[in-house]
Amino acid sequence: MRLTINGEDRTIENAGNVAELLGELGIAQTKVAVERNLEIVPKTAYGETRLAEGDKLEIVHFIGGGSHEAGLAAADDDGFVVAGKKFSSRLLVGTGKYKDFEETKIAIEASGAEIVTVAVRRVNLTDPNQPMLVDYVDPKKYTYLPNTAGCFTADDAVRTLRLAREAGSWNLVKLEVLGDQATLYPNMPETLKAAEALIKDGFDVMVYCSDDPIQAKMLEDMGCCAIMPLGSLIGSGMGILNPVNIALIKENANVPVLVDAGVGSASDAAVAMELGCDGVLMNTAIAGAKDPIRMARAMKHAIIAGRESFLAGRMPKKKYADPSSPLAGII
C-alpha cells in the first residue's frame, strides 16, 4: 500500500490501521499526533482508523527549536493568572536554538520559568528513536505552550494548533501568524482571523501581535486570554523599541500583557517589567548567549528586579538637580 507520510511517498506492507503503522515505524503513540487526509485522528481511534491506498498522513511531535525554582518571585508579587491558572514566575522561555536537549533542560531550570513554548514539527521517520523534547523537559512539571512558529496564514496556524492539542491535550496555546520571512513581524489580519477560529474551537489563546493598542484591544475583546506585543523583531535582541505603546496596551488591558520577542539582555527584561507588563517571553536572548545557563539566571533575576521596581514606584523625573543632602547647616 502506497501512503504519503510527512510529505514522503512510502510503501507500507503490514499496517492496516494507524496504530499498526506507528508500530511499524517504531513511533510511540503517546508522543505524537496523527492527521489523516487533513483530519486529526484521536489517539483513542488509532486502532480503528483504517488506512487506504493514497492516504496522506502527518505525524508530528513537539520540538525545542534538579531544584525547580519556578516559585521564586518578587517579595510582594502574587504572580499572574492566564486562562484561570496561576503562575509564580513571570518569565516564559522558548525551547529552540540550544545546542542539545540537555542544555535546554538545564537552562530552563536555571531560568525558573514555569511556561515553555514548543513548536510542532514532523517526526523524523528515518530515525524515530531520536530523543524528543518531552524526554528532557517534563510536561508534568512545566506548562507546555504550543505555538505556531513558522506559520504565515491563519489556516496553517489553526491546523497546527489542532494537531498540537491532539498530541498533548492542551488548550492553552500561543498564536503567531507571521507576515514575512525577513522581519517575522505579525500579520495582523491573519492573526485576527486565526484567533477568532481558535477561540470558537475552545482554545485559550495567548497571541503575539504588533505593538498597536487598537489591534491589541480588538484581540482582547475577541476573547484572547493574553496579549503579547513584540518588543522588537523576533531574535533581533534590539530590546524594547516602543515602550510608550506597550505601556498603553497594558494600561487598557484587562488580561495579562507579556512582551514577546526582541529582548537581548537582562536590562531589556527589566525595562519590560518596569512598564508594568505581566511577564516576558524570550528564547534567543538565553539560547544565543555565550553562556546560556548563566544568562537564564540573569533573566530570572532581571524579571524579579523589574517587577520590584514597578511595584515600588520610580522617583519622578526632574529637569534640574535635587541634592540628596539637606543644605541647612552646611559648613
Side-chain angles (χ1 to χ4, degrees), residues 14-30:
N14 302 311
N17 56 48
V18 170
E20 292 172 353
L21 173 64
L22 293 176
E24 185 170 326
L25 294 173
I27 297 172
Q29 296 184 23
T30 58

Side-chain angles (χ1 to χ4, degrees), residues 19-315:
E20 292 172 353
L21 173 64
L22 293 176
E24 185 170 326
L25 294 173
I27 297 172
Q29 296 184 23
T30 58
K31 296 182 178 181
V32 299
V34 178
E35 180 187 77
R36 174 179 172 269
N37 300 331
L38 300 181
E39 294 288 336
I40 292 175
V41 181
K43 283 184 169 58
T44 54
Y46 284 176
E48 304 165 7
T49 304
R50 303 294 300 175
L51 298 175
E53 183 76 21
D55 277 353
K56 294 182 178 180
L57 296 104
E58 293 287 341
I59 306 173
V60 304
H61 67 134
F62 296 118
I63 66 165
S67 173
H68 186 43
E69 299 177 320
L72 184 60
D76 298 322
D77 185 13
D78 289 331
F80 74 106
V81 177
V82 62
K85 185 174 180 180
K86 186 174 181 179
F87 297 94
S88 298
S89 173
R90 295 177 180 270
L91 175 59
L92 293 71
V93 296
T95 51
K97 298 186 177 181
Y98 292 95
K99 68 179 182 180
D100 54 35
F101 284 143
E102 184 63 27
E103 184 179 72
T104 305
K105 172 186 175 182
I106 297 171
I108 292 172
E109 289 176 347
S111 75
E114 294 169 289
I115 300 176
V116 298
T117 61
V118 294
V120 180
R121 293 294 184 268
R122 288 170 167 171
V123 170
N124 185 338
L125 300 178
T126 304
D127 185 6
N129 293 319
Q130 279 189 344
M132 294 185 179
L133 182 66
V134 294
D135 299 323
Y136 291 81
V137 181
D138 187 355
K140 295 180 181 178
K141 179 177 179 181
Y142 299 97
T143 295
Y144 269 36
L145 186 64
N147 67 21
T148 55
C151 291
F152 292 86
T153 68
D155 289 344
D156 283 346
V158 171
R159 180 184 175 201
T160 296
L161 290 178
R162 285 173 176 163
L163 273 168
R165 180 162 63 181
E166 179 60 29
S169 301
W170 300 299
N171 281 329
L172 183 63
V173 296
K174 182 200 166 191
L175 170 65
E176 56 182 77
V177 185
L178 306 174
D180 61 61
Q181 191 65 52
T183 66
L184 302 182
Y185 202 80
N187 180 326
M188 292 310 299
E190 289 292 293
T191 297
L192 288 159
K193 178 181 174 183
E196 183 177 22
L198 290 167
I199 291 166
K200 286 181 179 178
D201 206 13
F203 285 92
D204 296 313
V205 181
M206 302 175 69
V207 57
Y208 167 67
C209 62
S210 61
D211 53 359
D212 180 339
I214 305 302
Q215 298 270 22
K217 194 61 179 175
M218 290 173 65
L219 287 164
E220 178 185 344
D221 291 344
M222 182 181 292
C224 291
C225 65
I227 307 301
M228 306 178 75
L230 78 169
S232 53
L233 302 181
I234 291 173
S236 70
M238 291 191 290
I240 312 300
L241 296 185
N242 198 342
V244 174
N245 273 18
I246 289 178
L248 285 171
I249 291 172
K250 174 57 185 173
E251 181 180 330
N252 294 317
N254 295 306
V255 296
V257 174
L258 304 96
V259 166
D260 179 13
V263 168
S265 66
S267 59
D268 295 334
V271 166
M273 297 308 298
E274 287 177 334
L275 291 173
C277 291
D278 296 280
V280 181
L281 171 61
M282 65 183 73
N283 188 175
T284 309
I286 296 175
K290 292 181 180 178
D291 185 340
I293 312 306
R294 176 167 286 185
M295 185 60 79
R297 289 196 298 269
M299 291 300 184
K300 174 178 67 177
H301 294 301
I303 294 290
I304 295 169
R307 182 65 180 175
E308 287 278 69
S309 177
F310 171 74
L311 293 174
R314 66 156 292 146
M315 61 167 283

